[in-house]
Amino acid sequence: GEKPDGKVSASELLELLRAKPNRLNDLDRDHPCKGVVLSNLASCDMMYGNITDGLQKLRDAATIVQREALTTRDYSKLNSVLTNIAVGYIHLEDYDIALNYLSQVLARQEQKVMDVSIHRTLYHIGYCFLVKANRFKIVFDEKRMDQRKQQQPVE
């Protein structure tokens, strides 16, 4: 059941994870809240290792909250969903797509004065670049600026 503070328990979220899409459409919530519910369910999916299922729910949630954002000009929910999509792609080790989503979020956050969540976005961007750089196999230079070879730096 619903708690007095409006929060939903983990067991209720797990039950919703197993719900069919038409069951989600019948939820007693207004349309923008369905986007938030889908986003929360997607987070649970990803937490349990179902990244692709979570990403699909996040894409559906993004469609819903984007409609609301266009009318209210409040992009906080959309930014949250897009950041979660980026995290999903980070888990799939597709850092270019993750960076694409994060750049969309960052562009909106830079337009808003004093957006405190910008630090989280910058953290995710930095993480993606570090992991990408870590995957490169860097081979030493053949010649240094002082014309000595890297294999024998001191002769």
Side-chain angles (χ1 to χ4, degrees):
E2 194 168 316
K3 310 285 184 276
D5 60 3
K7 293 183 179 177
V8 179
S9 70
S11 60
E12 290 169 316
L13 279 176
L14 287 173
E15 185 178 320
L16 280 173
L17 279 173
R18 293 185 289 273
K20 304 238 184 284
N22 59 354
R23 167 76 174 99
L24 291 175
N25 290 332
D26 294 337
L27 285 176
D28 186 22
R29 306 264 184 206
D30 59 340
H31 198 62
C33 286
K34 288 180 186 176
V36 174
V37 169
L38 279 171
S39 179
N40 290 338
L41 292 174
S43 295
C44 290
D45 270 341
M46 294 193 325
M47 195 169 56
Y48 287 108
N50 302 324
I51 307 299
T52 53
D53 292 342
L55 282 172
Q56 185 56 49
K57 285 183 178 81
L58 285 169
R59 286 186 204 99
D60 295 341
T63 302
I64 294 169
V65 297
Q66 185 173 24
R67 277 189 231 125
E68 178 191 16
L70 291 174
T71 58
T72 64
R73 298 288 183 220
D74 178 12
Y75 293 97
S76 58
K77 289 178 189 170
L78 180 60
N79 286 345
S80 178
V81 171
L82 293 179
T83 300
N84 287 341
I85 289 174
V87 169
Y89 281 108
I90 289 170
H91 283 292
L92 292 176
E93 298 182 359
D94 196 337
Y95 302 107
D96 292 326
I97 294 177
L99 286 167
N100 181 36
Y101 279 102
L102 291 168
S103 69
Q104 293 174 39
V105 172
L106 185 62
R108 281 194 205 88
Q109 289 173 332
E110 287 175 335
Q111 293 173 353
K112 189 176 176 185
V113 178
M114 299 298 288
D115 189 338
V116 294
S117 59
I118 198 168
H119 300 296
R120 180 180 64 174
T121 304
L122 292 172
Y123 167 79
H124 287 307
I125 289 171
Y127 177 82
C128 285
F129 278 114
L130 284 173
V131 173
K132 278 184 70 162
N134 194 35
R135 292 182 357 183
F136 294 138
K137 182 174 179 163
I138 300 173
V139 181
F140 52 83
D141 296 333
E142 283 298 315
K143 285 193 175 182
R144 300 177 353 165
M145 291 186 69
D146 61 5
Q147 302 303 317
R148 295 180 186 208
K149 297 245 184 229
Q150 189 70 19
Q151 296 95 327
Q152 299 171 341
V154 179
E155 293 179 8

